[in-house]
Amino acid sequence: QVQLVESGGGLVQAGGSLRLSCAASGRAFSSSAMGWFRQAPKKEREFVAAVSGSGSSTFYADSVKGRFTITRDNAKNTVYLRMNSLKPEDTAVYYCAARSGSPYYSDSKGAYDYWGQGTQVTVSS
């Protein structure tokens, strides 16, 4: 069983920055790819970014490429999402997800086995 707890969300002005954190329980963290997804009101949950188990490979949605950076610290069982140049359209609940047992990242929601409770990010114009 893996438990994920996100933190770091909040209200920020357009152009600002935030860093989200996701702390994971469990001993197999380094063998699990991790992802960030987001869900805006009345919209489907969408992929944002993912990182391989080792942290050596990352993948981003086109909408955030060049602005967001996903990293992980396997010694701390934590994955981060650094968000720069935030836009009002980035407003959403952000979810951390773990792909238990696979170190290969995916942009598909169905590939992830465990999800956090989400953290709200609101970007004002």
Side-chain angles (χ1 to χ4, degrees):
Q1 190 76 5
V2 175
Q3 290 188 326
L4 304 173
V5 179
E6 302 101 333
S7 61
L11 173 64
V12 64
Q13 289 188 331
S17 298
L18 283 174
R19 189 181 78 159
L20 305 183
S21 299
C22 173
S25 67
R27 294 176 290 179
F29 182 74
S30 62
S31 63
S32 300
M34 299 294 294
W36 286 97
F37 290 76
R38 66 186 182 187
Q39 188 167 16
K42 300 183 181 179
K43 291 190 175 181
E44 294 287 322
R45 191 171 299 189
E46 65 176 6
F47 170 76
V48 175
V51 61
S52 62
S54 66
S56 61
S57 298
T58 57
F59 185 62
Y60 297 92
D62 287 343
S63 59
V64 307
K65 201 173 295 182
R67 301 187 297 121
F68 291 11
T69 303
I70 186 170
T71 57
R72 66 189 295 161
D73 185 338
N74 286 344
K76 295 182 178 180
N77 277 18
T78 302
V79 62
Y80 305 96
L81 185 68
R82 176 69 179 182
M83 306 184 294
N84 295 330
S85 303
L86 282 161
K87 305 174 181 179
E89 51 263 43
D90 293 318
T91 295
V93 177
Y94 283 71
Y95 296 90
C96 172
R99 193 177 187 197
S100 178
S102 175
Y104 304 108
Y105 60 68
S106 172
D107 61 356
S108 171
K109 294 188 295 291
Y112 293 84
D113 307 290
Y114 298 98
W115 294 82
Q117 83 288 350
T119 186
Q120 176 71 47
V121 171
T122 303
V123 184
S124 64
S125 55

